[in-house]
Amino acid sequence: MRVMGIESSCDETGVAIYDSRNGLLAQALHTQVDLHAIYGGVVPELASRDHIRLLPVLIRQVLDEAGLAVASLDAIAYTAGPGLAGALLAGASVAEAMALGAGIPALPVHHLEGHLLSPLLSGDPPAFPFVALLVSGGHTQLMRVLGVGDYELLGETLDDAAGEAFDKTAKILGLGYPGGPHLAAFAARGKTGRFKLPRPLRHSGDLDFSFSGLKTAVLNVVSAQDWRPEWGADLAADFQQAVVDVLTAKAAAALERTGLRALVVAGGVGANQALRAALDVAACRLGARTYYPAPALCTDNGVMIAFAAARRLAQGERSQGDNVIRVWPRWPLSALARPQAPRG
Ligand code: KG4
Ligand code: ZN
C-alpha cells in the first residue's frame, strides 16, 4: 500500500509518501514560521495562500524523490480537520483533484489521529492498547487507544491547549513565535521556585485540564509594581514546571485508572524536554513506559497523515470515491468511526 499524505491544517505544508511494505519513501516539509513571525501568530489567510503556493512544489518533489507517478499511488490522504478552514481546503482541494485526475482514491484523515499514531513509525513501537497524551497548539487530550480508529477520550482541556498556553505566555514574556520552543529555551536559563504559580485542576479527581488561569497568573506577575525583567527566565521556568506538573500528574492518573503500561506522547508540546523527563520518571514509577515520535515527527508533517491513512486502508477503510472536498475545522477525535473490518 503506497499512500501520499498531505498536511496543511495550520502553518506547516507537509507532503510524504509512505509504503506499508518499505516504509517512508519520500517527504518534504515547509514551515511558515518566518511568514507569521512578525504578526506574533498564524494569520489564516496568509497560511492558506502559502499552502497553495507550496503544495504543487512539494508534491512534485516527493514524487520525483520516490521515482513515482501519481497513478502508481494507492491513495492520496489529506488532513481534513481539525485546523484552519482555508488552510485545510488548500490541501483537500489539491488531494481530491489529483485523485480524480489519476483515478485513485482520496482519503480524509484526522490530524490528531496522525499525531497519535506517529510513534508507531519508530523502530520500537508501542503495542495496543495504550494511553495517549496529545499535546499540541490546539488540543490537550488524554485518550485510551485500543486500536487504529478506536479511541476513547479520558480527559481534555476545558479552555486553552498546553501549546496555546506556551504560545500566549511566550508572548507575555516578549519571546518569539512559535512560543513553545522559545519559552523552553528561555526557561532553561532560569531556575524554578521564585514564583508560586497555580497547578490548575491538579487535584480535580478527573483527567481534565485547564491552562488559561496559568497564563493569567504569569500576566499578573509581570504586571505587578515590583516586577523585574531580569526575572523573566525564572518565570518561564516556573510556568513550564507548572504545565509539566499538571500534564504529568494527569498522564500518570490515566495510566493508573486504565491499568495500561504504555504512554504515547504526541503533538508539538511533546518535543518539550522537561515534559519528557518528568513523564519518563512518572511512568517508570508505575512500571510503565513512554513512547515518543521521532523528533522530526513531533510537529506537523505529511508523514503521519500518509501513515494513518495506510493503517486505515489496511484495516479495510475505503474512500467515499465521490471526490467531494471534505474539511471539518472542528472535528472531534472521538467522532471518528471505528473502521469497518475487511470483507471477504
Ligand atoms: O502539533 P503542533 O506542531 O501543531 C498543532 O497541531 O497545534 O504543535 C504546535 C505547538 C505550538 O503551540 C508550539 O508552541 C508547541 O507545540 N511546541 C512546544 C515545543 N515545541 C513546540 N511547546 C513546548 N515546548 C516545546 N519544545
Ligand atoms: Zn499538529
Side-chain angles (χ1 to χ4, degrees):
M1 191 91 61
R2 244 186 244 141
V3 183
M4 175 179 283
I6 295 181
E7 158 62 34
S8 72
S9 66
C10 190
D11 57 351
E12 251 105 31
T13 318
V15 181
I17 300 174
Y18 177 80
D19 182 328
S20 43
R21 206 168 286 154
N22 300 308
L24 184 63
L25 300 186
Q27 69 152 320
L29 186 69
H30 171 76
T31 176
Q32 303 178 352
V33 163
D34 293 344
L35 179 68
H36 303 294
I38 53 163
Y39 304 100
V42 179
V43 182
E45 178 62 21
L46 295 183
S48 313
R49 291 181 195 196
D50 207 54
H51 288 308
I52 291 168
R53 186 175 71 86
L54 261 302
L55 277 168
V57 180
L58 301 189
I59 288 168
R60 185 74 266 153
Q61 197 177 313
V62 297
L63 284 169
D64 287 351
E65 198 180 320
L68 293 171
V70 181
S72 63
L73 298 168
D74 293 296
I76 302 180
Y78 59 94
T79 303
L84 301 169
L88 290 167
L89 278 170
S93 315
V94 170
E96 291 286 359
M98 272 171 62
L100 180 65
I104 56 172
L107 206 73
V109 170
H110 195 292
H111 181 80
L112 295 182
E113 181 170 52
H115 277 304
L116 192 65
L117 299 180
S118 58
L120 298 181
L121 276 160
S122 72
D124 175 25
F128 295 116
F130 53 77
V131 171
L133 173 67
L134 268 175
V135 273
S136 71
H139 296 84
T140 302
Q141 299 186 330
L142 275 162
M143 319 274 313
R144 188 206 306 259
V145 179
L146 296 137
V148 175
D150 200 351
Y151 313 120
E152 183 195 332
L153 184 67
L154 300 170
E156 64 183 333
T157 184
L158 305 177
D159 41 57
D160 290 354
E164 194 179 357
F166 267 94
D167 294 338
K168 288 178 175 173
T169 302
K171 215 171 197 178
I172 294 170
L173 294 174
L175 305 173
Y177 157 88
H182 281 100
L183 193 137
F186 195 43
R189 288 166 36 201
K191 267 207 202 93
T192 55
R194 184 188 292 277
F195 303 98
K196 293 266 164 295
L197 297 179
R199 268 51 175 172
L201 302 190
R202 167 83 169 76
H203 299 292
S204 60
D206 56 23
L207 298 174
D208 287 335
F209 303 91
S210 166
F211 291 109
S212 77
L214 195 48
K215 159 209 69 195
T216 310
V218 170
L219 187 60
N220 289 341
V221 171
V222 300
S223 311
Q225 290 266 315
D226 58 353
W227 167 250
R228 291 209 225 138
E230 63 266 31
W231 291 341
D234 289 349
L235 182 54
D238 275 322
F239 164 81
Q240 176 172 266
Q241 192 60 49
V243 176
V244 166
D245 283 355
V246 178
L247 289 173
T248 305
K250 300 269 170 157
L255 286 171
E256 281 185 301
R257 190 172 292 191
T258 57
L260 297 176
R261 292 284 164 265
L263 174 69
V264 159
V265 185
V269 184
N272 187 282
Q273 292 303 323
L275 177 64
R276 287 188 175 204
L279 289 172
D280 290 350
V281 171
C284 185
R285 252 188 222 137
L286 293 168
R289 247 200 79 179
T290 49
Y291 295 85
Y292 304 95
L297 298 184
C298 275
T299 47
D300 294 347
N301 62 84
V303 184
M304 66 183 192
I305 303 305
F307 178 69
R311 292 297 296 253
R312 281 188 160 262
L313 289 165
Q315 278 192 203
E317 180 157 327
R318 291 294 166 257
S319 156
Q320 301 255 14
D322 53 8
N323 294 106
V324 170
I325 296 163
R326 292 185 172 80
V327 299
W328 298 282
R330 297 176 158 275
W331 185 10
L333 186 58
S334 49
L336 274 189
R338 192 186 271 233
Q340 304 278 308
R343 290 206 193 98

